[in-house]
Amino acid sequence: MELGIAGKVALIAGGAMGMGRRAAEMLAAEGASVLVVGLPDDAVSIEETVSGIHAAGGKAIGVGANMTLKSDIVRAVGECTAAFGPPDILVANVYGPPPGYFEEVTDEQFETAVREMTLSLVYLLRQTLPHMKEKGWGRVVNMNSIGAKEPPRFPGHALVNTGRAAAVALAKSLSDEYAQFGITFNSIGTGYIGTDRMYRYWDRMSEHTGTPRDVLLKVVTDTIPAGRVGRVAEIAAVMTFLCSDLGGYVNGEFINVDGGLHRSAW
């Protein structure tokens, strides 16, 4: 299927690992020039991702940057523009704050959560929307969590649920403002996706509780109609479609990719 994004420029935050890496590979395979952004400490993973894209015949460069910091965002967009031109496609994919119940977390942690989850998206869009508006085409995918719409009870997610819900509302608001310019904004509600990060989390839970990881995970997968965690490629494919020309009439949506875990009919 021709997705109509050959020659576009894509900036993928969190593009060195997991679902972000697979989306970067898919977009590059479709002919987009890709900036792979990962944390500075993940330089090896960034290089591996870029090298893999080159080996497959794609175009990519890598940048180490913390995409929750305005200065790093400005630098990453600048490097993308210098190499390929301003981004036409954005995947906003950053780590969230730690778990914690309300009485366990501080006011400062709430401020950090909002900056990391919501203001980071504002900073990124300030740097990129003028080009998209001028060009009359743009795609923004905000990687989020099903917890933004259906906050889990355990473990405590007071920080992450607050910051992520605000980011979803921002994306929806901007979809209304910018649709006339051919720019779409969509949020993806991730369920339990089998990334290395997810498995590390359950390894920590196993150490904390003394319960084997597989036993803990089975408690979760028994609640998922699909009966399993999702594959990285399954969510990356949704990300890629939303970034495509064919995805241009999907706008302002919060799309769950969770094996049916979310219970609401809409």
Side-chain angles (χ1 to χ4, degrees), residues 4-231:
I5 53 176
K8 303 292 187 185
V9 177
L11 186 158
I12 315 297
M17 297 181 184
M19 61 188 79
R21 177 174 183 166
R22 191 70 189 96
E25 294 167 346
M26 289 183 176
L27 288 166
E30 290 294 327
S33 298
V34 179
L35 179 75
V36 175
V37 185
L39 290 170
D41 289 345
D42 296 328
V44 173
S45 295
I46 295 170
E47 179 57 32
E48 289 176 350
T49 304
V50 170
S51 296
I53 290 172
H54 288 168
K59 297 180 181 178
I61 63 169
V63 171
N66 183 338
M67 295 298 281
T68 69
L69 301 178
K70 183 187 290 188
S71 58
D72 278 22
I73 289 169
V74 171
R75 176 170 58 83
V77 173
E79 294 198 31
C80 181
T81 301
F84 300 129
D88 308 300
I89 295 167
L90 299 176
V91 174
N93 179 32
V94 298
Y95 278 3
Y101 293 100
F102 183 77
E103 293 184 0
E104 299 171 337
V105 299
T106 66
D107 292 350
E108 290 74 19
Q109 284 180 300
F110 268 106
E111 293 171 2
T112 299
V114 172
R115 175 178 59 80
E116 290 180 344
M117 295 287 91
T118 303
L119 289 179
S120 65
L121 182 58
V122 172
Y123 304 151
L124 181 58
L125 293 173
R126 294 287 191 204
Q127 297 298 314
T128 53
L129 274 180
H131 161 73
M132 294 181 185
K133 183 178 177 180
E134 180 180 357
K135 192 170 183 178
W137 196 97
R139 299 288 182 267
V140 180
V141 175
N142 168 40
M143 297 306 297
N144 210 280
S145 166
I146 60 173
K149 186 174 183 180
E150 191 175 276
R153 294 177 61 192
F154 175 83
H157 277 73
L159 294 173
V160 68
N161 290 338
T162 301
R164 288 196 184 282
V168 173
L170 172 63
K172 176 59 177 174
S173 298
L174 295 180
S175 73
D176 294 337
E177 291 186 33
Y178 286 88
Q180 62 182 311
F181 304 111
I183 305 170
T184 67
F185 297 80
N186 291 290
S187 299
I188 293 181
T190 59
Y192 290 94
I193 307 299
T195 63
D196 291 341
R197 185 187 182 203
M198 189 208 78
Y199 286 121
R200 286 196 301 269
Y201 169 80
W202 286 106
D203 284 337
R204 291 195 300 271
M205 290 294 291
S206 177
E207 292 175 5
H208 179 71
T209 63
T211 304
R213 184 182 80 178
D214 291 347
V215 174
L216 292 173
L217 266 177
K218 188 175 187 306
V219 174
V220 172
T221 56
D222 282 350
T223 68
I224 302 172
R228 62 175 177 85
V229 299
R231 298 190 299 271

